[in-house]
mmCIF file with all atom_site columns, all heavy atoms in Angstrom:
data_model
loop_
_atom_site.group_PDB
_atom_site.id
_atom_site.type_symbol
_atom_site.label_atom_id
_atom_site.label_alt_id
_atom_site.label_comp_id
_atom_site.label_asym_id
_atom_site.label_entity_id
_atom_site.label_seq_id
_atom_site.pdbx_PDB_ins_code
_atom_site.Cartn_x
_atom_site.Cartn_y
_atom_site.Cartn_z
_atom_site.occupancy
_atom_site.B_iso_or_equiv
_atom_site.pdbx_formal_charge
_atom_site.auth_seq_id
_atom_site.auth_comp_id
_atom_site.auth_asym_id
_atom_site.auth_atom_id
_atom_site.pdbx_PDB_model_num
ATOM   1   N N   . SER W 1 15  ? -7.687  2.993   -20.913 1.00 0.00 ? 15  SER W N   1
ATOM   2   C CA  . SER W 1 15  ? -8.607  3.336   -21.991 1.00 0.00 ? 15  SER W CA  1
ATOM   3   C C   . SER W 1 15  ? -10.031 3.360   -21.520 1.00 0.00 ? 15  SER W C   1
ATOM   4   O O   . SER W 1 15  ? -10.896 4.004   -22.239 1.00 0.00 ? 15  SER W O   1
ATOM   5   C CB  . SER W 1 15  ? -8.502  2.410   -23.087 1.00 0.00 ? 15  SER W CB  1
ATOM   6   O OG  . SER W 1 15  ? -8.484  1.048   -22.799 1.00 0.00 ? 15  SER W OG  1
ATOM   7   N N   . ARG W 1 16  ? -10.340 2.639   -20.384 1.00 0.00 ? 16  ARG W N   1
ATOM   8   C CA  . ARG W 1 16  ? -11.799 2.647   -20.018 1.00 0.00 ? 16  ARG W CA  1
ATOM   9   C C   . ARG W 1 16  ? -11.857 2.592   -18.516 1.00 0.00 ? 16  ARG W C   1
ATOM   10  O O   . ARG W 1 16  ? -10.740 2.221   -17.831 1.00 0.00 ? 16  ARG W O   1
ATOM   11  C CB  . ARG W 1 16  ? -12.493 1.444   -20.645 1.00 0.00 ? 16  ARG W CB  1
ATOM   12  C CG  . ARG W 1 16  ? -12.517 1.388   -22.018 1.00 0.00 ? 16  ARG W CG  1
ATOM   13  C CD  . ARG W 1 16  ? -13.380 0.304   -22.713 1.00 0.00 ? 16  ARG W CD  1
ATOM   14  N NE  . ARG W 1 16  ? -12.591 -1.010  -22.585 1.00 0.00 ? 16  ARG W NE  1
ATOM   15  C CZ  . ARG W 1 16  ? -12.992 -1.986  -21.785 1.00 0.00 ? 16  ARG W CZ  1
ATOM   16  N NH1 . ARG W 1 16  ? -14.071 -1.982  -21.038 1.00 0.00 ? 16  ARG W NH1 1
ATOM   17  N NH2 . ARG W 1 16  ? -12.209 -3.164  -21.643 1.00 0.00 ? 16  ARG W NH2 1
ATOM   18  N N   . VAL W 1 18  ? -12.003 2.218   -14.558 1.00 0.00 ? 18  VAL W N   1
ATOM   19  C CA  . VAL W 1 18  ? -11.211 2.712   -13.393 1.00 0.00 ? 18  VAL W CA  1
ATOM   20  C C   . VAL W 1 18  ? -9.809  3.303   -13.895 1.00 0.00 ? 18  VAL W C   1
ATOM   21  O O   . VAL W 1 18  ? -9.446  4.491   -13.434 1.00 0.00 ? 18  VAL W O   1
ATOM   22  C CB  . VAL W 1 18  ? -10.822 1.600   -12.313 1.00 0.00 ? 18  VAL W CB  1
ATOM   23  C CG1 . VAL W 1 18  ? -9.935  1.973   -11.355 1.00 0.00 ? 18  VAL W CG1 1
ATOM   24  C CG2 . VAL W 1 18  ? -12.212 1.134   -11.684 1.00 0.00 ? 18  VAL W CG2 1
ATOM   25  N N   . SER W 1 40  ? -8.986  -1.060  -27.047 1.00 0.00 ? 40  SER W N   1
ATOM   26  C CA  . SER W 1 40  ? -9.827  0.016   -27.200 1.00 0.00 ? 40  SER W CA  1
ATOM   27  C C   . SER W 1 40  ? -9.044  1.354   -27.577 1.00 0.00 ? 40  SER W C   1
ATOM   28  O O   . SER W 1 40  ? -8.966  2.357   -26.900 1.00 0.00 ? 40  SER W O   1
ATOM   29  C CB  . SER W 1 40  ? -10.567 0.328   -25.926 1.00 0.00 ? 40  SER W CB  1
ATOM   30  O OG  . SER W 1 40  ? -11.229 -0.768  -25.479 1.00 0.00 ? 40  SER W OG  1
ATOM   31  N N   . ASP W 1 64  ? -0.225  -4.918  -24.707 1.00 0.00 ? 64  ASP W N   1
ATOM   32  C CA  . ASP W 1 64  ? -1.138  -5.839  -24.061 1.00 0.00 ? 64  ASP W CA  1
ATOM   33  C C   . ASP W 1 64  ? -0.369  -6.540  -22.905 1.00 0.00 ? 64  ASP W C   1
ATOM   34  O O   . ASP W 1 64  ? 0.799   -7.012  -22.968 1.00 0.00 ? 64  ASP W O   1
ATOM   35  C CB  . ASP W 1 64  ? -1.359  -7.092  -25.197 1.00 0.00 ? 64  ASP W CB  1
ATOM   36  C CG  . ASP W 1 64  ? -2.334  -7.985  -24.817 1.00 0.00 ? 64  ASP W CG  1
ATOM   37  O OD1 . ASP W 1 64  ? -2.562  -8.254  -23.557 1.00 0.00 ? 64  ASP W OD1 1
ATOM   38  O OD2 . ASP W 1 64  ? -3.030  -8.603  -25.732 1.00 0.00 ? 64  ASP W OD2 1
ATOM   39  N N   . SER W 1 65  ? -1.000  -6.485  -21.689 1.00 0.00 ? 65  SER W N   1
ATOM   40  C CA  . SER W 1 65  ? -0.459  -7.013  -20.493 1.00 0.00 ? 65  SER W CA  1
ATOM   41  C C   . SER W 1 65  ? -0.243  -8.377  -20.458 1.00 0.00 ? 65  SER W C   1
ATOM   42  O O   . SER W 1 65  ? 0.393   -9.042  -19.482 1.00 0.00 ? 65  SER W O   1
ATOM   43  C CB  . SER W 1 65  ? -1.314  -6.584  -19.308 1.00 0.00 ? 65  SER W CB  1
ATOM   44  O OG  . SER W 1 65  ? -1.256  -5.161  -19.022 1.00 0.00 ? 65  SER W OG  1
ATOM   45  N N   . ASN W 1 91  ? -3.139  -1.082  -13.056 1.00 0.00 ? 91  ASN W N   1
ATOM   46  C CA  . ASN W 1 91  ? -4.689  -1.230  -12.927 1.00 0.00 ? 91  ASN W CA  1
ATOM   47  C C   . ASN W 1 91  ? -5.210  -2.172  -13.934 1.00 0.00 ? 91  ASN W C   1
ATOM   48  O O   . ASN W 1 91  ? -6.368  -2.766  -13.657 1.00 0.00 ? 91  ASN W O   1
ATOM   49  C CB  . ASN W 1 91  ? -5.183  0.189   -13.444 1.00 0.00 ? 91  ASN W CB  1
ATOM   50  C CG  . ASN W 1 91  ? -6.669  0.125   -13.881 1.00 0.00 ? 91  ASN W CG  1
ATOM   51  O OD1 . ASN W 1 91  ? -7.544  0.145   -12.945 1.00 0.00 ? 91  ASN W OD1 1
ATOM   52  N ND2 . ASN W 1 91  ? -6.957  -0.004  -15.098 1.00 0.00 ? 91  ASN W ND2 1
ATOM   53  N N   . TYR W 1 155 ? -10.191 -15.041 -9.308  1.00 0.00 ? 155 TYR W N   1
ATOM   54  C CA  . TYR W 1 155 ? -10.062 -13.648 -9.247  1.00 0.00 ? 155 TYR W CA  1
ATOM   55  C C   . TYR W 1 155 ? -9.636  -13.139 -7.958  1.00 0.00 ? 155 TYR W C   1
ATOM   56  O O   . TYR W 1 155 ? -8.775  -12.334 -7.902  1.00 0.00 ? 155 TYR W O   1
ATOM   57  C CB  . TYR W 1 155 ? -11.478 -12.971 -9.755  1.00 0.00 ? 155 TYR W CB  1
ATOM   58  C CG  . TYR W 1 155 ? -11.518 -11.452 -9.734  1.00 0.00 ? 155 TYR W CG  1
ATOM   59  C CD1 . TYR W 1 155 ? -10.916 -10.717 -10.708 1.00 0.00 ? 155 TYR W CD1 1
ATOM   60  C CD2 . TYR W 1 155 ? -12.004 -10.805 -8.601  1.00 0.00 ? 155 TYR W CD2 1
ATOM   61  C CE1 . TYR W 1 155 ? -10.910 -9.416  -10.715 1.00 0.00 ? 155 TYR W CE1 1
ATOM   62  C CE2 . TYR W 1 155 ? -12.123 -9.341  -8.644  1.00 0.00 ? 155 TYR W CE2 1
ATOM   63  C CZ  . TYR W 1 155 ? -11.459 -8.647  -9.598  1.00 0.00 ? 155 TYR W CZ  1
ATOM   64  O OH  . TYR W 1 155 ? -11.579 -7.235  -9.574  1.00 0.00 ? 155 TYR W OH  1
ATOM   65  N N   . VAL W 1 188 ? -17.498 -0.693  -8.627  1.00 0.00 ? 188 VAL W N   1
ATOM   66  C CA  . VAL W 1 188 ? -17.221 0.540   -9.217  1.00 0.00 ? 188 VAL W CA  1
ATOM   67  C C   . VAL W 1 188 ? -18.005 0.370   -10.711 1.00 0.00 ? 188 VAL W C   1
ATOM   68  O O   . VAL W 1 188 ? -17.772 -0.473  -11.223 1.00 0.00 ? 188 VAL W O   1
ATOM   69  C CB  . VAL W 1 188 ? -15.682 0.863   -9.440  1.00 0.00 ? 188 VAL W CB  1
ATOM   70  C CG1 . VAL W 1 188 ? -15.605 2.248   -10.213 1.00 0.00 ? 188 VAL W CG1 1
ATOM   71  C CG2 . VAL W 1 188 ? -15.065 0.895   -8.175  1.00 0.00 ? 188 VAL W CG2 1
ATOM   72  N N   . THR W 1 190 ? -18.386 0.390   -14.071 1.00 0.00 ? 190 THR W N   1
ATOM   73  C CA  . THR W 1 190 ? -17.619 0.224   -15.322 1.00 0.00 ? 190 THR W CA  1
ATOM   74  C C   . THR W 1 190 ? -18.197 -0.744  -16.315 1.00 0.00 ? 190 THR W C   1
ATOM   75  O O   . THR W 1 190 ? -19.144 -1.438  -15.894 1.00 0.00 ? 190 THR W O   1
ATOM   76  C CB  . THR W 1 190 ? -16.182 -0.170  -15.033 1.00 0.00 ? 190 THR W CB  1
ATOM   77  O OG1 . THR W 1 190 ? -16.260 -1.559  -14.525 1.00 0.00 ? 190 THR W OG1 1
ATOM   78  C CG2 . THR W 1 190 ? -15.462 0.731   -13.960 1.00 0.00 ? 190 THR W CG2 1
HETATM 79  P P1  . NDP E 2 .   ? -12.929 -2.672  -17.394 1.00 0.00 ? 1   NDP E P1  1
HETATM 80  O O1  . NDP E 2 .   ? -12.967 -4.044  -18.048 1.00 0.00 ? 1   NDP E O1  1
HETATM 81  O O2  . NDP E 2 .   ? -14.039 -1.798  -17.448 1.00 0.00 ? 1   NDP E O2  1
HETATM 82  O O3  . NDP E 2 .   ? -11.650 -1.961  -18.027 1.00 0.00 ? 1   NDP E O3  1
HETATM 83  C C1  . NDP E 2 .   ? -10.372 -2.652  -18.166 1.00 0.00 ? 1   NDP E C1  1
HETATM 84  C C2  . NDP E 2 .   ? -9.276  -1.819  -18.589 1.00 0.00 ? 1   NDP E C2  1
HETATM 85  O O4  . NDP E 2 .   ? -8.190  -2.643  -18.545 1.00 0.00 ? 1   NDP E O4  1
HETATM 86  C C3  . NDP E 2 .   ? -9.452  -1.289  -20.011 1.00 0.00 ? 1   NDP E C3  1
HETATM 87  O O5  . NDP E 2 .   ? -8.799  -0.113  -20.217 1.00 0.00 ? 1   NDP E O5  1
HETATM 88  C C4  . NDP E 2 .   ? -8.720  -2.347  -20.795 1.00 0.00 ? 1   NDP E C4  1
HETATM 89  O O6  . NDP E 2 .   ? -8.175  -1.914  -22.029 1.00 0.00 ? 1   NDP E O6  1
HETATM 90  C C5  . NDP E 2 .   ? -7.540  -2.762  -19.886 1.00 0.00 ? 1   NDP E C5  1
HETATM 91  N N1  . NDP E 2 .   ? -7.053  -4.110  -20.180 1.00 0.00 ? 1   NDP E N1  1
HETATM 92  C C6  . NDP E 2 .   ? -7.709  -5.311  -20.002 1.00 0.00 ? 1   NDP E C6  1
HETATM 93  N N2  . NDP E 2 .   ? -7.000  -6.243  -20.518 1.00 0.00 ? 1   NDP E N2  1
HETATM 94  C C7  . NDP E 2 .   ? -5.758  -5.661  -20.784 1.00 0.00 ? 1   NDP E C7  1
HETATM 95  C C8  . NDP E 2 .   ? -4.543  -6.241  -21.297 1.00 0.00 ? 1   NDP E C8  1
HETATM 96  N N3  . NDP E 2 .   ? -4.376  -7.542  -21.649 1.00 0.00 ? 1   NDP E N3  1
HETATM 97  N N4  . NDP E 2 .   ? -3.585  -5.270  -21.629 1.00 0.00 ? 1   NDP E N4  1
HETATM 98  C C9  . NDP E 2 .   ? -3.771  -3.995  -21.374 1.00 0.00 ? 1   NDP E C9  1
HETATM 99  N N5  . NDP E 2 .   ? -4.886  -3.505  -20.837 1.00 0.00 ? 1   NDP E N5  1
HETATM 100 C C10 . NDP E 2 .   ? -5.887  -4.223  -20.680 1.00 0.00 ? 1   NDP E C10 1
HETATM 101 O O7  . NDP E 2 .   ? -12.353 -2.944  -15.889 1.00 0.00 ? 1   NDP E O7  1
HETATM 102 P P2  . NDP E 2 .   ? -12.518 -1.951  -14.621 1.00 0.00 ? 1   NDP E P2  1
HETATM 103 O O8  . NDP E 2 .   ? -12.215 -0.619  -14.937 1.00 0.00 ? 1   NDP E O8  1
HETATM 104 O O9  . NDP E 2 .   ? -13.734 -2.283  -13.895 1.00 0.00 ? 1   NDP E O9  1
HETATM 105 O O10 . NDP E 2 .   ? -11.321 -2.685  -13.703 1.00 0.00 ? 1   NDP E O10 1
HETATM 106 C C11 . NDP E 2 .   ? -10.122 -1.937  -13.552 1.00 0.00 ? 1   NDP E C11 1
HETATM 107 C C12 . NDP E 2 .   ? -9.305  -2.570  -12.473 1.00 0.00 ? 1   NDP E C12 1
HETATM 108 O O11 . NDP E 2 .   ? -9.993  -2.493  -11.245 1.00 0.00 ? 1   NDP E O11 1
HETATM 109 C C13 . NDP E 2 .   ? -9.040  -4.110  -12.661 1.00 0.00 ? 1   NDP E C13 1
HETATM 110 O O12 . NDP E 2 .   ? -7.818  -4.477  -12.167 1.00 0.00 ? 1   NDP E O12 1
HETATM 111 C C14 . NDP E 2 .   ? -10.248 -4.632  -11.794 1.00 0.00 ? 1   NDP E C14 1
HETATM 112 O O13 . NDP E 2 .   ? -9.900  -5.971  -11.237 1.00 0.00 ? 1   NDP E O13 1
HETATM 113 C C15 . NDP E 2 .   ? -10.272 -3.576  -10.609 1.00 0.00 ? 1   NDP E C15 1
HETATM 114 N N6  . NDP E 2 .   ? -11.446 -3.516  -9.761  1.00 0.00 ? 1   NDP E N6  1
HETATM 115 C C16 . NDP E 2 .   ? -12.636 -3.227  -10.463 1.00 0.00 ? 1   NDP E C16 1
HETATM 116 C C17 . NDP E 2 .   ? -13.738 -3.280  -9.738  1.00 0.00 ? 1   NDP E C17 1
HETATM 117 C C18 . NDP E 2 .   ? -15.112 -2.929  -10.309 1.00 0.00 ? 1   NDP E C18 1
HETATM 118 O O14 . NDP E 2 .   ? -16.170 -3.047  -9.625  1.00 0.00 ? 1   NDP E O14 1
HETATM 119 N N7  . NDP E 2 .   ? -15.198 -2.312  -11.525 1.00 0.00 ? 1   NDP E N7  1
HETATM 120 C C19 . NDP E 2 .   ? -13.962 -3.645  -8.402  1.00 0.00 ? 1   NDP E C19 1
HETATM 121 C C20 . NDP E 2 .   ? -12.528 -4.004  -7.733  1.00 0.00 ? 1   NDP E C20 1
HETATM 122 C C21 . NDP E 2 .   ? -11.429 -3.989  -8.529  1.00 0.00 ? 1   NDP E C21 1
HETATM 123 P P3  . NDP E 2 .   ? -8.755  -2.293  -23.537 1.00 0.00 ? 1   NDP E P3  1
HETATM 124 O O15 . NDP E 2 .   ? -10.202 -2.074  -23.475 1.00 0.00 ? 1   NDP E O15 1
HETATM 125 O O16 . NDP E 2 .   ? -7.956  -1.229  -24.259 1.00 0.00 ? 1   NDP E O16 1
HETATM 126 O O17 . NDP E 2 .   ? -8.366  -3.596  -23.779 1.00 0.00 ? 1   NDP E O17 1
#
Side-chain angles (χ1 to χ4, degrees):
S15 47
R16 296 182 291 114
V18 170
S40 307
D64 189 331
S65 289
N91 164 80
Y155 177 76
V188 178
T190 66

